[in-house]
């Protein structure tokens, strides 16, 4: 009971701690402490003193954390009444009881469990806040360290990359310098090689010329010119007549076509020039032909000298028209169109009085030993050119061992039986120099295929051909090259059976005979048409003679009158409207009318073309074939539409002032008169050109009616008298009569 009262006194003392501090009554505290101490055992006292001591330490730590929390904005904890009591206790002197020991001066009363829990929660929160703060600082430090490390790594990478780029630039510069140096060395070597080659070529050219000129002509050979004048002039005149007859009879005579194929640098250019007999040098420019070249030879009796014309090239805008080219400028003109590999051909026509109509097709050089895109494209182009069965194939290849020949297998891809193929082996002189015995040369000449035409030829080099451009000198060099081969063959005592296969002249004669034979095969057909035409003409002549004998002046007058009346009646019907004239055949659409009339577009006052869509402007029957009156009505609608869309020229102030004039009565300008005068003048300026064009178109429409009327009347006559001949119809025409008893023409 005393202990409980004492505890209540302590609590009362703690609740009035502030008042006790003001009065400063230490004897109450001592009395209270003595009473409490007597109620607890020594062991309890030790526990209580230990708790008070720990609490004092916690209070000291709390004060330190409060001082630090001021900077961080944390809440300040207020001191509890127990703390106020503990702070005042040391100032009071406690009397020592004779029965108990004196307690420590800093001893404090025991706190309640709620206060302890609050205090521990507060401490835990403070520690948690400190821990989070430490962790955040640690994270920030780690993040800063990581960023710094990444920046340093990135900087190192940039430096490394810059160093690598600099090294690459230096390496590229070094390689460029080496390439420049190597290129300069190559250019220097090429220049020296070119100079050396030029010297060697010049020497070889002079040696070749001397070798050719050293050959003596055989008196039995005759003049060199005779080798190219195979046909007399009468043959070409007769050929021209055959062509004219074929055109008159609407008979088509096919033109022979020869396709020249072969590997690059095989001599196709030389072969074509030798066949033509002139060094045109139109193929093989720059090393190889890249586009097919169609050389069309045309017989023209008026062309005493060869006349070359390059046709328009749709692939190149700068060559959009035909252009006649002098022979001296022909190589450069063809080279300008021969820039890249293409299947689109270049067309060249050569007109001369001493030539037959034929076409020689030169092809790009084959690259049989390679398998590139370009070589495959060239092969496809050549195969497409030699595939038509009406074309002759001239396979050109340098002379070499038969096991190394390549053109035979290539040609068999389209001509299995070799029925239209002729083989030509060039550079035969080089091959002859390798033979040392009669047996060797005869074995080589006998290596040709049986029943397949084969020729061996040697032609002057390109430099020699360029030096001798005149036709006579060029043909002389061709003959000398042939004679040089023949001299070697005679020295080797070759088999004379192969003489017909030697030389370019034998090849040329063979090809021209093939061309002439093809025309001879067409002559019977032309003659058949001529005989039929002659028979018809003689029969018509006899009928006309019989008509003349049976007719007198009155009958002729009646027939002529009837024909005129019928003619006018048909014209009237065509103008009023009838389909008897077969509009599908004789009619014209608006576009056909303008194109056939020529330059039929409407033009305005300033000669500018007026273009329009007839459907948008409402032109009736613009896409229908009409004639006569309906065609004239369509023209009037077209004129009306053009007139409606035509604007008169602008009226200027000068025009108004000039047209107004002065009224003589009151000196006031008459603007009504000026307006009418200007309207009349401007309308006349705008419409007169259109009216003139309307008249021209109308005249054209009326003129067309004559041909249509003749066809209609001829059709009527055939219907009336289907079984009678013209003579009978004309003789029986006067006997026909109308209802009035008058004579009527069958027309």
């Amino acid at each position: 009971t005393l202990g409980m009262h004492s505890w209540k006194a302590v609590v009362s003392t703690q609740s009035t701690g502030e008042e006790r501090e003001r009065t400063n009554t230490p004897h109450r505290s001592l009395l209270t402490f003595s009473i409490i101490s007597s109620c607890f055992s020594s062991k309890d006292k030790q526990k209580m003193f230990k708790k008070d001591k720990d609490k004092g330490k916690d209070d000291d730590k709390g004060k330190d954390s409060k001082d630090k929390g001021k900077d961080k904005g944390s809440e300040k904890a207020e001191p509890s009444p127990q703390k106020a009591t503990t702070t005042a206790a040391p100032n009071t002197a406690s009397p020592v009881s004779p029965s108990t020991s004196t307690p420590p001066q800093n001893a404090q009363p025991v706190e309640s469990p709620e206060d302890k829990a609050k205090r521990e929660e507060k401490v835990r929160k403070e520690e948690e806040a400190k821990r989070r703060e430490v962790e955040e600082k640690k994270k920030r430090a780690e993040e800063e360290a990581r960023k710094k490390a990444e920046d340093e790594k990135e900087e190192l990478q940039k430096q490394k990359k810059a160093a690598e780029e600099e090294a690459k630039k230096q390496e590229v510069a070094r390689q460029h310098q080496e390439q420049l140096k190597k290129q300069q060395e190559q250019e220097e070597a090429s220049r020296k090689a070119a100079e050396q080659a030029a010297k060697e070529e010049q020497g070889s050219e002079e040696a070749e010329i001397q070798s050719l000129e050293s050959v003596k002509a055989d008196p039995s050979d005759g003049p060199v010119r005779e080798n190219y004048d195979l046909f007399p002039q009468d043959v070409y005149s007769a050929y021209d007549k055959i062509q004219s007859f074929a055109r008159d009879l609407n008979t088509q005579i096919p033109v022979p076509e020869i396709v020249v194929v072969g590997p690059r640098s095989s001599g196709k250019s030389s072969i074509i020039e030798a066949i033509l007999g002139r060094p045109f040098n139109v193929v093989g420019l720059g090393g190889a032909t890249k586009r097919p070249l169609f050389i069309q030879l045309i017989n023209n009796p008026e062309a005493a000298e060869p006349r070359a014309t390059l046709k328009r090239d749709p692939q190149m805008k700068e060559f959009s028209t035909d252009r006649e080219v002098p022979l001296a400028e022909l190589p450069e003109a063809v080279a300008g169109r021969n820039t890249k590999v293409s299947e689109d051909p270049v067309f060249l026509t050569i007109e001369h009085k001493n030539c037959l109509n034929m076409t020689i097709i030169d092809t790009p050089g084959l690259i049989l030993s390679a398998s590139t895109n370009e070589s495959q494209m060239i092969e496809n182009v050549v195969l497409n050119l030699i595939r038509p069965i009406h074309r002759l194939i001239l396979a050109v290849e340098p002379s070499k061992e038969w096991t190394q020949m390549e053109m035979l297998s290539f040609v068999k891809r389209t001509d299995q039986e070799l029925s239209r193929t002729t083989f030509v082996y060039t550079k035969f002189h080089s091959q002859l120099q390798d033979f040392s015995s009669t047996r060797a040369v005869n074995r080589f000449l006998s290596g040709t295929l049986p029943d397949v035409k084969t020729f061996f030829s040697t032609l002057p080099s390109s430099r020699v051909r360029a030096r001798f451009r005149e036709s006579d000198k060029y043909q002389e060099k061709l003959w000398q090259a042939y004679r040089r081969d023949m001299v070697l063959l005679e020295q080797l005592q070759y088999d004379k059976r192969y003489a017909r296969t030697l030389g370019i002249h034998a090849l040329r004669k063979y090809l021209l005979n093939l061309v002439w034979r093809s025309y001879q095969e067409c002559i019977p057909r032309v003659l058949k048409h001529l005989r039929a035409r002659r028979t018809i003409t003689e029969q018509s002549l006899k009928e006309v003679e019989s008509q003349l004998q049976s007719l007198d002046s009155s009958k002729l007058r009646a027939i002529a009158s009837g024909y005129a009346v019928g003619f006018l009646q048909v014209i009237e019907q065509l103008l009023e409207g009838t389909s008897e004239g077969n509009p599908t055949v004789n009619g014209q659409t608006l576009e056909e009318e303008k194109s056939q009339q020529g330059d039929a577009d409407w033009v305005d006052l300033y000669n500018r073309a007026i273009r329009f869509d007839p459907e948008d402007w409402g032109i009736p029957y613009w896409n229908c074939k009409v004639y006569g009156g309906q065609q004239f009505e369509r023209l009037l609608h077209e004129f009306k539409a053009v007139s409606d869309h035509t604007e008169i020229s602008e009226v200027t102030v000068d025009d108004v002032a000039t047209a107004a004039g002065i009224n003589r009565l009151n000196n006031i300008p008459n603007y009504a008169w000026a307006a009418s005068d200007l309207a009349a003048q401007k309308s006349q300026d705008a419409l007169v050109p259109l009216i003139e064009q309307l008249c021209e178109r109308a005249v054209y429409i009326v003129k067309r009616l004559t041909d249509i009327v003749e066809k209609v009347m001829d059709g009527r006559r055939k219907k009336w008298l289907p079984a009678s001949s013209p003579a009978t119809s004309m003789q029986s025409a006067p006997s026909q009569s109308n209802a009035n008893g008058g004579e009527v023409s069958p027309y």
Side-chain angles (χ1 to χ4, degrees), residues 76-95:
K76 184 185 262 188
E78 296 180 1
S80 61
Q82 296 176 357
K83 292 181 180 179
T85 307
T86 55
T87 54
N91 295 330
T92 61
S94 59

Side-chain angles (χ1 to χ4, degrees), residues 325-344:
V325 182
L327 297 181
E329 302 177 3
L330 192 57
E332 291 77 11
V334 176
R337 308 188 184 198
N338 197 22
T339 55
K340 61 180 180 179
V341 177
S342 174
E343 60 181 2
D344 299 319

Side-chain angles (χ1 to χ4, degrees), residues 52-62:
D52 294 338
K53 187 177 180 180
D54 294 336
K55 185 178 179 182
K57 292 180 180 180
D58 293 337
D59 293 339
D60 295 336
K61 292 180 181 180

Side-chain angles (χ1 to χ4, degrees), residues 6 28-39 45 94-97 100:
S6 300
R28 294 180 181 177
S29 297
L30 289 176
L31 178 61
T32 305
F33 184 77
S34 299
I35 295 170
I36 293 172
S37 297
S38 63
C39 296
K45 291 179 183 179
S94 59
V96 180
S97 173
T100 60

Side-chain angles (χ1 to χ4, degrees), residues 232-245 299 356 516 523:
Q233 187 63 36
D234 296 340
V235 173
Y236 296 105
S237 300
Y239 173 76
D240 182 64
K241 290 181 180 179
I242 293 174
Q243 291 286 342
S244 62
F245 288 153
N299 177 265
L356 301 176
W516 179 247
I523 289 176

Side-chain angles (χ1 to χ4, degrees), residues 9 179 343 464 475 497 676:
Q179 289 179 357
E343 60 181 2
V464 175
Q475 294 173 10
R497 292 179 300 173
S676 62

